[in-house]
Amino acid sequence: ANAVVPCDCVLVRGSAVVNEASLTGESVPQMKDMLERDAGDDQRALDMNGRDRVHALFAGTTVMTAAAGDAEAGGVPPTPDGGCLCYVLRTGFSSAQGELMQMIEFSQQQISDDSKETLVALGILLVFALVSSGYVLRTGLQKGDRTTHELLLKCVIIVTSVVPRHLPMQTAMAVNTALMALMKKGVFCTEPFRVPFAGKIDSVLFDKTGTLTSDKLVPVGVVNAPAGGQGSAGKAPEGEHPVSEAGADAAAILAGCHSLVSVGGLDGLVGDPIEMAALQGLQWSYDHTSATA
């Protein structure tokens, strides 16, 4: 239990409950079952990120519990320690975790600043250069002390000097400096070209509780709960009521429609914090073995 998977593999015997938060960010444990051999699937390729994801264990994830499964498992022998049996598919940088680390460490994307803003700045400089070139050409022709060839050469030099020779290197160095400052703070960027856009951010929105705040949720109440508490019938009054006073139908849905699991060696249930808070607010208990609340 709580062992880190060292490689990408597929379950050929037994089952497991895996925490994939390190790869997907989801806190809900995932149930993994053995890959059963079906007739007609001999020529089908294994789809680890689609159809067969429920049978695959990925590197970097944590195994919370594992079981050996049934006695008959398609001719696959049981493991000596009573755990599940897996077949290794990918290791090192070829695994799911390895590809992520390789993307962070060896990003090959072009590093540059915002090209749109750069073009706008160069356009403004080009306008001044054209005005300056026109003034030089006009003044030189009026004075007559320079040949037309010399005046045109001066105008070309003025226009070409708008784009500095070291501009691409300077923009790349500016982004690299920002990346190094982020790495010192423990922030790794997989797409360096997005660093210049970060300077324009004035608001940051997160998609779930737990990123900046506590992941412990407190049930506030149920809207339109039937009067009289659980087991009562009748018209539901308007307003908000404590979760413990939810009607029979609402209580049955909150207590039964969830993905909470009981992991061996751990106290209580494990799963979505919202579902955990709802069950605790009802003051009900749930038995994962018999699937009874």
Side-chain angles (χ1 to χ4, degrees):
N2 294 330
V4 179
V5 181
C7 58
D8 290 353
C9 52
V10 60
L11 272 170
V12 295
R13 181 186 176 93
S15 60
V17 178
V18 184
N19 184 1
E20 297 183 347
S22 59
L23 294 180
T24 62
E26 296 295 334
S27 59
V28 180
Q30 302 296 319
M31 299 289 296
K32 302 291 183 177
D33 297 325
M34 60 176 288
L35 178 65
E36 297 181 358
R37 182 178 178 181
D38 298 331
D41 283 353
D42 294 342
Q43 303 300 326
R44 184 177 67 86
L46 185 68
D47 186 9
M48 295 184 62
N49 296 319
R51 175 179 176 181
D52 300 317
R53 186 178 180 87
V54 71
H55 310 301
L57 304 181
F58 297 95
T61 59
T62 303
V63 178
M64 306 182 68
T65 183
D70 300 333
E72 298 295 334
V76 180
T79 56
D81 57 355
C84 58
L85 184 63
C86 300
Y87 182 81
V88 177
L89 298 176
R90 300 182 299 191
T91 60
F93 284 120
S94 299
S95 64
Q97 185 185 37
E99 291 177 354
L100 180 61
M101 296 301 299
Q102 191 174 23
M103 183 185 301
I104 295 175
E105 294 291 340
F106 308 106
S107 177
Q108 299 296 324
Q109 295 180 352
Q110 183 179 2
I111 300 177
S112 61
D113 65 341
D114 190 352
S115 57
K116 182 178 179 180
E117 292 186 350
T118 303
L119 291 177
V120 172
L122 292 178
I124 295 174
L125 294 176
L126 180 60
V127 172
F128 284 100
L130 293 176
V131 173
S132 301
S133 300
Y135 175 78
V136 170
L137 180 61
R138 178 184 177 185
T139 305
L141 292 176
Q142 290 178 352
K143 291 183 177 180
D145 57 346
R146 300 289 181 89
T147 63
T148 305
H149 178 268
E150 291 178 342
L151 292 175
L152 292 176
L153 183 61
K154 291 291 185 181
C155 294
V156 171
I157 293 176
I158 294 175
V159 174
T160 55
S161 63
V162 170
V163 181
R165 292 177 296 175
H166 304 295
L167 179 62
M169 183 180 65
Q170 291 173 349
T171 55
M173 288 186 62
V175 177
N176 278 323
T177 303
L179 290 175
M180 293 178 64
L182 290 174
M183 291 181 64
K184 292 179 180 179
K185 299 292 185 179
V187 179
F188 296 91
C189 182
T190 59
E191 298 178 343
F193 68 91
R194 298 190 184 275
V195 172
F197 294 97
K200 304 177 182 179
I201 295 176
D202 56 4
S203 301
V204 179
L205 305 178
F206 294 90
D207 61 344
K208 57 186 176 181
T209 305
T211 307
L212 292 178
T213 60
S214 174
D215 59 355
K216 183 178 180 181
L217 303 181
V218 179
V220 176
V222 177
V223 178
N224 291 335
Q230 299 177 7
S232 62
K235 185 179 179 181
E238 297 182 357
E240 182 181 292
H241 302 272
V243 180
S244 59
E245 298 180 4
D249 295 338
I253 293 174
L254 293 176
C257 299
H258 54 73
S259 59
L260 301 178
V261 296
S262 178
V263 179
L266 297 178
D267 296 333
L269 301 173
V270 178
D272 193 334
I274 297 179
E275 297 173 348
M276 291 283 295
L279 190 63
Q280 293 173 1
L282 288 173
Q283 299 179 1
W284 282 34
S285 61
Y286 177 75
D287 184 9
H288 174 68
T289 304
S290 60
T292 304

